[in-house]
Amino acid sequence: MSGNQPGVRDPRTAPHGHQRLSLDIERVLDVSTRQAIRAEFRYDPALPWAVSVEFLIEGGPRVLWRIGRDLLRQGLYTMSGLGDVRMWPSSLEEGVTARLQLASGDMAALFELPIPPLAAWLEHTYSLVPAGQELAGVDWDVTTANLLYGGPAPSS
């Protein structure tokens, strides 16, 4: 990971109040080969558990993943996740980079991300919706009605 600061954009509010962070990251292709790509992280307080990450590969398709916010935060400091999404700090330079592995079917990709800007951005998302408060805004009457009746509660 180059860690070049020009590839990091400050957290900012995107349209509709979504929080956004752009990072230049690297896809690890093998021990000595890496591919520089752009990753756009987005957080919407209306969907407080997930972070959307769009990978923008030059000359390639855009790929969108939704990853648990807690998984990303924990993965900056220790092994996190099971199955399709796993994250852990790199042992090469402690506190500088983390590895993110994404798998789908028989394909997998490994990325290296800079920890400092991602950690700061994630902490900002927790200032918007604190851990443990993700359900605070749920209207349980509407949610229950949607589950039971497939839509809003019937009126009397």
Side-chain angles (χ1 to χ4, degrees), residues 37-60:
I37 64 172
R38 170 70 52 150
E40 297 281 340
F41 292 79
R42 290 186 188 87
Y43 179 73
D44 179 358
L47 304 168
W49 290 285
V51 170
S52 296
V53 185
E54 188 171 20
F55 299 94
L56 311 166
I57 301 167
E58 189 173 325

Side-chain angles (χ1 to χ4, degrees), residues 43-120:
Y43 179 73
D44 179 358
L47 304 168
W49 290 285
V51 170
S52 296
V53 185
E54 188 171 20
F55 299 94
L56 311 166
I57 301 167
E58 189 173 325
R62 292 174 174 243
V63 177
L64 178 68
W65 278 74
R66 287 194 174 79
I67 302 172
R69 180 173 69 151
D70 290 342
L71 185 152
L72 285 174
R73 182 190 217 185
Q74 181 180 355
L76 296 174
Y77 309 103
T78 186
M79 175 61 86
S80 179
L82 297 170
D84 294 347
V85 181
R86 296 179 186 194
M87 190 164 162
W88 64 94
S90 172
S91 59
L92 298 176
E93 297 179 61
E94 190 174 320
V96 176
T97 63
R99 299 270 172 103
L100 174 65
Q101 181 179 337
L102 304 174
S104 179
D106 61 350
M107 301 195 58
L110 180 63
F111 302 95
E112 195 165 74
L113 313 141
I115 288 176
L118 184 54

Side-chain angles (χ1 to χ4, degrees), residues 108-147:
L110 180 63
F111 302 95
E112 195 165 74
L113 313 141
I115 288 176
L118 184 54
W121 180 79
L122 282 168
E123 288 309 311
H124 176 68
T125 71
Y126 282 98
S127 73
L128 299 171
V129 179
Q133 296 298 309
E134 292 89 353
L135 294 175
V138 173
D139 182 332
W140 289 106
D141 291 335
V142 171
T143 301
T144 303
N146 285 338
L147 289 172

